[in-house]
Amino acid sequence: MTTRDAVRPPGRRGEIDGVQIHALRRIADERGSVMHMLRADAPHFGGFGEIYFATAWPGVIKGWHLHQMQAQNYCVVDGMAKLVLYDDRAASPTRGVVQEIFLGDDSYVLVHIPPLVLNGWKAIGTTRTLLANCATLPHDPAEMSRLDPFDPAVPYDWALIHR
């Protein structure tokens, strides 16, 4: 058994069905930059519910979240985050898969997370992380559930792995 196996519980790693990653444009010049996120005419735009911003200090974990009907569209506009997704959908071909995606200053992308995929994120690096979410529905606490980030029901360990 490798050190990685000892730290990360067993489970399939890979891409989760329905999760999409889209490269985003950052247009910079001597004045600053414009950072695109999501357009209404994009093929992956699923509707507008609300946009919100969340911040976290280095090492803070925000998760797990599970939305029944709402899709998430995450983008980190400042700092870096490790986004972790877990597919526990009964009929999914990727049930049991854990997916890690690094996004932010070093990887400016939009991640589309379909309903019923557990998600959480950890601020990484040395500065505050600013995450934007363009959700497909307005926030409704009745359609969302939360798990502790260290709940053993999700086969994931948030610890830093030195490779």
Side-chain angles (χ1 to χ4, degrees):
M1 177 185 323
T2 67
T3 302
R4 180 177 170 85
D5 294 333
V7 174
R8 300 254 193 258
R12 295 186 304 158
R13 304 275 177 234
E15 296 180 2
I16 293 176
D17 186 51
V19 172
Q20 301 170 18
I21 301 172
H22 302 277
L24 295 175
R25 290 184 59 201
R26 181 180 292 159
I27 305 163
D29 64 24
E30 68 273 12
R31 300 167 299 157
S33 62
V34 172
M35 300 165 69
H36 289 217
M37 182 175 168
L38 187 61
R39 295 171 51 111
D41 61 353
H44 53 278
F45 178 72
F48 174 77
E50 70 174 345
I51 295 175
Y52 70 80
F53 301 90
T55 63
W57 296 108
V60 170
I61 300 167
K62 296 206 175 186
W64 299 102
H65 310 102
L66 180 70
H67 289 275
Q68 299 295 313
M69 299 175 290
Q70 183 185 95
Q72 312 297 301
N73 290 287
Y74 285 172
C75 169
V76 171
V77 295
D78 194 33
M80 284 295 295
K82 174 172 63 170
L83 173 64
V84 182
L85 310 171
Y86 177 61
D87 189 355
D88 195 34
R89 298 172 291 178
S92 174
T94 55
R95 185 173 191 191
V97 171
V98 173
Q99 184 173 0
E100 285 182 334
I101 304 163
F102 293 87
L103 60 163
D105 294 339
D106 295 336
S107 177
Y108 190 55
V109 297
L110 176 109
V111 179
H112 173 82
I113 307 166
L116 299 173
V117 172
L118 275 158
N119 70 86
W121 58 280
K122 179 180 181 179
I124 59 175
T126 59
T127 61
R128 182 184 73 171
T129 297
L130 174 62
L131 178 139
N133 179 22
C134 182
T136 58
L137 299 171
H139 177 71
D140 177 1
E143 75 86 45
M144 173 190 186
S145 55
R146 296 177 190 265
L147 289 175
D148 183 279
F150 304 102
D151 191 310
V154 181
Y156 190 76
D157 184 331
W158 291 95
L160 173 65
I161 295 179
H162 298 277
R163 298 175 194 189

